[in-house]
Amino acid sequence: MAIDLYAGVCVGDYDRALDWYERLLGAPPSLETGEGEAVWDLGEHRALFIDHRPEHAGHGRHTIFVGTVEDLQVWVARVADRGIEPVRWEESPDGMREAMYQDPEGSVIYFGGTPADAARPSAGAPRHTS
């Protein structure tokens, strides 16, 4: 059975969120519906979207794994070049690291990386505590 992931973040100020997520993800959306929704294809069968739903804004929480801890450091540096810094870093005892970003309305996006010699996290991950 094939499973696709289509994760969404509700936003109140669509234009501000569109700008912020373009800078966070490093590209304009793959698709804008014209109805307050923008979609970024993150990989095969994986997408993140923003949706203009002010009544639900600020409550999202997602984790995106970018590969190894070294890949994560490269990712964070690129995002910093676009003007966004993580609000917090977390590390688990097994060496997995996560950079936490918070959008202008309070939703949280974690970017994670595992040690080069570790397996990718499974269904029990992520291990952040916030």
Side-chain angles (χ1 to χ4, degrees):
M1 171 189 333
I3 297 175
D4 294 355
L5 176 63
Y6 192 67
V9 179
C10 295
V11 300
D13 184 331
Y14 180 80
D15 291 331
R16 180 173 68 169
L18 180 64
D19 174 67
W20 192 86
Y21 280 92
E22 283 180 346
R23 289 185 294 126
L24 180 71
L25 299 171
S30 308
L31 169 69
E32 255 190 287
T33 66
E35 298 176 12
E37 182 180 55
V39 181
W40 285 264
D41 288 321
L42 302 179
E44 187 174 6
H45 307 290
R46 296 179 303 273
L48 179 72
F49 69 94
I50 60 171
D51 189 11
H52 184 239
R53 293 183 184 220
E55 66 278 12
H56 299 292
H59 300 285
R61 181 174 164 172
H62 300 289
T63 300
I64 300 168
F65 283 92
V66 296
T68 66
V69 170
E70 292 78 17
D71 296 330
L72 175 61
Q73 291 168 334
V74 170
W75 178 267
V76 169
R78 289 180 180 161
V79 174
D81 287 344
R82 296 189 293 269
I84 302 175
E85 297 284 343
V87 296
R88 186 169 73 223
W89 281 91
E90 297 181 6
E91 186 168 352
S92 65
D94 63 1
M96 185 176 81
R97 293 196 74 200
E98 294 176 311
M100 182 182 116
Y101 293 88
Q102 192 164 27
D103 78 10
E105 297 179 80
S107 289
V108 174
I109 306 289
Y110 287 89
F111 285 88
T114 58
D117 61 347
R120 236 181 129 98
S122 63
R127 299 178 195 112
H128 43 75
T129 58
S130 63

